[in-house]
């Protein structure tokens, strides 16, 4: 019994790996041969009846037997061809069509977590392999798009968070100017100093917006260190601290050991880090930072 199953499996595998056109031709030829063999056997079996001297109405025995014989030959031919077509569909078409139909249904429902597994060397096997490759590529591209979308969401969140403090600082400078300019209590050099600080923050925002439009991930943020006197860096940070103190109504104790240092750093990134820390602290502090 086991040997029969093995032989059947080998025959089925051989037929599945055979080119589709050749398989159909072989099955049709086999069907015609079987029909011919059965027809010859029927002719030989009915030979004795054609010689019998009997008649049915106006029809002799030989005419009746010949009529039945032609009918049987037609039945044999049609039956074996139908059987060959069914066998061809069963062995060559049913499984790949089932898998491809299932695959297209899954893709239509936006599900790519499936596989098309039809291992055959014929044209349908190649078609299923191409379909599986297409599914795999679609799944890989969807994963890339999803990751890109998540990175963009993350980037937008960082962008919105990083802009909050510089805008708050600019609003603080604006309020400061609106308060002191009408009363003419501000000295010209103080006014120029304030507008200069505002220009620096505006330039920072412009540069930051341009950079965020070009990068795809937060990790791609370029770092460009430049020589800088520590006093200049601490002055920029003190300006931000002073504005946040007035704007948020908290006391911020600011100390730095940078004043006497010669630095090489990306001051914009340092400012963003310090401003993020301060904005988070301001959100939760009761009175003192």
């Amino acid at each position: 019994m086991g040997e029969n199953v093995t032989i059947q499996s080998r025959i089925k595998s051989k037929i599945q790996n055979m080119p589709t056109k050749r398989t159909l031709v072989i099955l049709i030829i086999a069907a015609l041969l079987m029909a011919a063999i059965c027809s010859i056997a029927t002719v030989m079996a009915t030979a004795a009846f054609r010689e019998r001297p009997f008649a049915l109405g106006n029809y002799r025995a030989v005419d009746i037997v010949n009529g039945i014989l032609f009918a049987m030959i037609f039945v044999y031919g049609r039956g074996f061809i139908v059987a060959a077509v069914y066998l061809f569909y069963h062995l060559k078409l049913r499984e790949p069509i089932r898998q491809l139909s299932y695959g297209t249904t899954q893709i239509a429902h936006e599900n790519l977590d499936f596989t098309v597994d039809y291992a055959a060397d014929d044209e349908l096997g190649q078609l299923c392999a191409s379909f599986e490759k297409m599914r795999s590529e679609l799944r890989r591209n969807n994963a890339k798009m999803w990751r890109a979308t998540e990175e963009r969401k993350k980037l937008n969140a960082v962008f919105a968070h990083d802009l909050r403090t510089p805008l708050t600082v600019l609003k603080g400078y604006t309020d400061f100017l609106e308060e002191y300019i009408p009363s003419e209590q501000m000295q010209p050099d103080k006014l120029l100093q304030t507008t200069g600080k505002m220009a620096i923050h505006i330039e920072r925002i412009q540069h930051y917006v341009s950079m965020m439009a070009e990068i795809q991930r937060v990790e791609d943020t370029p770092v460009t260190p430049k020589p800088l006197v520590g006093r200049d860096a601490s002055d920029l940070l003190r300006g931000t601290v002073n504005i946040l103190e007035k704007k948020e109504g908290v006391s911020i104790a600011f100390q730095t050991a940078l004043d006497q240092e010669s630095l090489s750093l990306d001051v914009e990134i340092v400012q963003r880090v310090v401003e993020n820390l301060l904005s988070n602290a301001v959100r939760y502090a009761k009175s003192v930072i």
Side-chain angles (χ1 to χ4, degrees), residues 162 204 207-208 211 218 221-225 237 265-276:
D162 286 357
R204 278 185 56 212
H207 180 265
Y208 184 54
M211 180 194 68
V218 177
T221 302
V223 179
T224 54
L237 298 178
L265 53 80
D266 189 325
V267 69
E268 290 189 6
I269 289 182
V270 173
Q271 280 187 277
R272 281 167 52 196
V273 172
V274 174
E275 288 170 357
N276 283 332

Side-chain angles (χ1 to χ4, degrees), residues 46-114:
T46 58
F49 291 97
R50 289 199 299 272
E51 302 298 331
R52 293 187 178 183
F54 73 88
L56 187 62
N58 296 328
Y59 298 98
R60 296 175 302 165
V62 63
D63 296 328
I64 296 173
V65 172
N66 287 338
I68 295 174
L69 182 61
F70 284 126
M72 291 299 296
I73 292 173
F74 175 77
V75 171
Y76 289 147
R78 183 170 183 177
F80 280 111
I81 288 178
V82 170
V85 172
Y86 173 79
L87 190 62
F88 176 77
Y89 171 79
H90 182 79
L91 294 176
K92 299 289 290 184
L93 301 180
R94 186 179 67 171
E95 183 60 19
I97 288 177
R98 184 190 70 80
Q99 295 213 28
L100 291 173
S101 177
Y102 172 77
T104 53
T105 301
Q106 293 301 309
I107 291 177
H109 289 85
E110 299 182 356
N111 175 31
L112 296 172
D113 293 326
F114 68 93

Side-chain angles (χ1 to χ4, degrees), residues 115-131:
T115 57
V116 174
D117 185 16
Y118 182 71
D121 293 333
D122 63 347
E123 297 90 333
L124 293 171
Q126 295 171 5
L127 177 61
C128 289
S130 298
F131 189 93

Side-chain angles (χ1 to χ4, degrees), residues 172-188:
Y173 281 126
T174 303
D175 294 341
F176 177 77
L177 293 176
E178 288 179 347
E179 180 181 354
Y180 287 101
I181 288 179
S183 61
E184 298 182 355
Q185 297 179 10
M186 181 177 289
Q187 297 297 324

Side-chain angles (χ1 to χ4, degrees), residues 2-210:
E3 293 181 358
N4 291 335
V5 173
T6 302
I7 293 173
Q8 291 177 1
S9 300
R10 289 178 180 176
I11 293 174
K12 184 177 180 180
S13 176
K14 190 175 183 64
I15 292 176
Q16 286 179 341
N17 292 325
M18 191 181 298
T20 304
K21 183 178 180 180
R22 183 187 300 175
T23 304
L24 181 60
V25 171
I26 290 174
L27 288 175
I28 291 177
I29 291 174
L32 294 176
L33 286 175
M34 291 298 296
I37 292 172
C38 290
S39 298
I40 292 172
T42 303
V43 170
M44 294 176 64
T46 58
F49 291 97
R50 289 199 299 272
E51 302 298 331
R52 293 187 178 183
F54 73 88
L56 187 62
N58 296 328
Y59 298 98
R60 296 175 302 165
V62 63
D63 296 328
I64 296 173
V65 172
N66 287 338
I68 295 174
L69 182 61
F70 284 126
M72 291 299 296
I73 292 173
F74 175 77
V75 171
Y76 289 147
R78 183 170 183 177
F80 280 111
I81 288 178
V82 170
V85 172
Y86 173 79
L87 190 62
F88 176 77
Y89 171 79
H90 182 79
L91 294 176
K92 299 289 290 184
L93 301 180
R94 186 179 67 171
E95 183 60 19
I97 288 177
R98 184 190 70 80
Q99 295 213 28
L100 291 173
S101 177
Y102 172 77
T104 53
T105 301
Q106 293 301 309
I107 291 177
H109 289 85
E110 299 182 356
N111 175 31
L112 296 172
D113 293 326
F114 68 93
T115 57
V116 174
D117 185 16
Y118 182 71
D121 293 333
D122 63 347
E123 297 90 333
L124 293 171
Q126 295 171 5
L127 177 61
C128 289
S130 298
F131 189 93
E132 172 62 19
K133 184 177 180 181
M134 178 192 72
R135 180 206 66 82
S136 179
E137 288 297 326
L138 284 173
R139 191 173 186 274
R140 188 178 297 110
N141 290 337
N142 275 8
K144 288 181 180 179
M145 290 178 60
W146 182 84
R147 286 195 297 270
T149 301
E150 291 299 312
E151 288 291 344
R152 178 51 60 179
K153 289 180 180 178
K154 180 180 177 182
L155 197 64
N156 290 341
V158 171
F159 182 59
H161 186 270
D162 286 357
L163 281 181
R164 187 179 294 116
T165 301
L167 291 175
T168 301
V169 171
L170 282 176
K171 183 66 167 59
Y173 281 126
T174 303
D175 294 341
F176 177 77
L177 293 176
E178 288 179 347
E179 180 181 354
Y180 287 101
I181 288 179
S183 61
E184 298 182 355
Q185 297 179 10
M186 181 177 289
Q187 297 297 324
D189 57 340
K190 182 65 174 178
L191 176 61
L192 290 175
Q193 184 181 1
T194 302
T195 56
K197 290 180 179 179
M198 293 178 67
I200 291 174
H201 283 283
I202 291 172
E203 185 177 354
R204 278 185 56 212
I205 293 174
Q206 289 176 334
H207 180 265
Y208 184 54
V209 170
S210 176

